[in-house]
Amino acid sequence: FCSVKEWKGAYSISSGYNSTHILLNPTLEFIEEFKASLPIDSLALTNNDSSQWSVGTATSIRARFFVLNEKLTIREIIDSTRVGTFVTLGTIETIDIERGWQYLSCKYHNKKVMPTTNVDADNRPLFFCNTCDKEYSDVISRFKLIAHVKDDSGEANFLLFDANAQQIVCHSAAELYDENEDEDFLLEAVSDLFGKIVLFEISVDADNIKGKSSQYVVRLATDDREMVEEFADLPPKPVLMLESADDISSGSSGFSGTPLSKRKSEQDEDSCLEDQHSVNKKLSQKNLKGE
């Protein structure tokens, strides 16, 4: 929804954030004029300013990979303690064949249906939909791929449901499904994913963080070559450099080129050496007194 603002006789349309009144499909004169000014073709309105990204348009795909979400390596995703959505680049090594590549769903939604022993009037097998609480013979095959994905930092299992899997398989599951085919057989169109480099937008949820689930749900996937190459060329995240208290108090240059964690380790080593020297000195003094 949106809000309409008036200032000195001029009207503007913006998001509904902080609105005090919301009108649904109002028939105000200036709104009708605005609607009449819109193009009558079916093209979507987009922002031509490349510095802006409009969610809901084709450019929003790029925005999700390059602007809206944080880039992480697979190891950083596995180690993450934050619930959220992240983007990463990885190579599909294998597909989990034991769990199959598709499932049969109700034609009215994407919920899985279960086979029954019943048949319809045409002797076609019936499947029960728990959501609809009905039996259907007309069901649809949908993708459910568990991809083992790897990058230079680590590897993880990414779960791709129908639309995202179809994006990189380039076929619908319904086009590939054969009810007479062995369920353990992996179609060539699916096995062709092995070795493919793909951009993934994935979710890290509470179960992932707690270790209850080792699968990360894919929200968006693309193997567009230009986007993959552009993403791969992005510079790595900078290492945070911090000053130590000694640097500040001594009035040094104000910046240390050594990462904080490394300098802390070096300070700990220096401290250990001082302690060891102190102990050795005391032992030496003790020996002298004994003599």
Side-chain angles (χ1 to χ4, degrees):
F1 58 91
C2 65
S3 67
V4 179
K5 298 179 181 180
E6 185 270 338
W7 173 251
K8 294 183 178 181
Y11 294 92
S12 64
I13 299 177
S14 62
S15 68
Y17 183 70
N18 281 342
S19 297
T20 57
H21 294 81
I22 298 175
L23 302 178
L24 301 178
N25 298 321
T27 56
L28 301 177
E29 182 179 354
F30 66 90
I31 290 183
E32 294 302 319
E33 291 176 356
F34 173 76
K35 289 166 63 176
S37 69
L38 296 176
I40 59 175
D41 56 29
S42 60
L43 296 177
L45 294 177
T46 58
N47 191 337
N48 290 327
D49 183 357
S50 60
S51 66
Q52 302 295 319
W53 300 86
S54 175
V55 176
T57 69
T59 56
S60 68
I61 296 177
R62 289 185 55 84
R64 288 164 70 173
F65 284 115
F66 294 96
V67 178
L68 301 178
N69 296 306
E70 182 181 356
K71 175 187 177 182
L72 296 181
T73 65
I74 290 180
R75 172 48 56 188
E76 289 172 330
I77 290 172
I78 295 172
D79 294 340
S80 176
T81 57
R82 292 178 293 153
V83 171
T85 303
F86 306 97
V87 289
T88 193
L89 182 67
T91 302
I92 297 178
E93 295 285 297
T94 59
I95 301 293
D96 190 340
I97 301 176
E98 293 184 0
R99 305 192 190 186
W101 59 273
Q102 64 85 42
Y103 68 99
L104 296 179
S105 72
C106 176
K107 62 181 179 180
Y108 298 107
H109 46 73
N110 60 2
K111 301 298 182 182
K112 185 177 181 178
V113 295
M114 301 302 295
T116 71
T117 57
N118 302 326
V119 294
D120 64 6
D122 296 323
N123 205 36
R124 295 184 302 175
L126 289 170
F127 298 84
F128 181 75
C129 175
N130 193 52
T131 303
C132 299
D133 196 23
K134 291 183 179 180
E135 290 182 341
Y136 298 103
S137 59
D138 189 11
V139 293
I140 300 174
S141 172
R142 299 183 190 273
F143 281 116
K144 184 181 179 182
L145 301 178
I146 301 176
H148 190 73
V149 183
K150 185 177 183 180
D151 68 4
D152 292 338
S153 70
E155 50 196 76
N157 291 323
F158 288 177
L159 177 59
L160 297 97
F161 285 106
D162 198 49
N164 290 316
Q166 184 172 327
Q167 184 70 25
I168 57 176
V169 175
C170 300
H171 292 279
S172 69
E175 292 173 339
L176 302 175
Y177 176 68
D178 182 353
E179 61 181 3
N180 297 316
E181 200 164 66
D182 187 349
E183 293 184 359
D184 295 332
F185 176 74
L186 192 62
L187 297 175
E188 183 178 352
V190 178
S191 64
D192 282 346
L193 295 178
F194 297 176
K196 179 170 285 191
I197 302 174
V198 179
L199 269 173
F200 296 97
E201 179 191 70
I202 62 94
S203 292
V204 175
D205 60 26
D207 285 343
N208 296 133
I209 295 173
K210 294 176 182 177
K212 294 181 179 180
S213 175
S214 60
Q215 299 173 11
Y216 297 88
V217 176
V218 175
R219 298 168 58 93
L220 183 65
T222 179
D223 59 347
D224 180 83
R225 188 176 69 178
E226 290 185 3
M227 290 181 63
V228 166
E229 291 178 353
E230 183 178 350
F231 192 91
D233 289 339
L234 291 176
K237 290 186 299 184
V239 177
L240 181 62
M241 301 293 185
L242 295 176
E243 291 180 304
S244 68
D246 292 339
D247 293 334
I248 298 173
S249 61
S250 62
S252 60
S253 61
F255 178 79
S256 172
T258 307
L260 180 62
S261 59
K262 184 177 180 181
R263 287 191 287 113
K264 184 178 184 302
S265 176
E266 291 173 350
Q267 290 169 0
D268 291 342
E269 290 180 5
D270 292 341
S271 178
C272 290
L273 289 174
E274 289 180 5
D275 291 343
Q276 184 177 359
H277 176 72
S278 177
V279 170
N280 291 338
K281 184 177 180 181
K282 290 180 181 179
L283 288 175
S284 176
Q285 291 175 347
K286 185 176 181 181
N287 291 334
L288 287 172
K289 290 181 181 179
E291 293 172 354

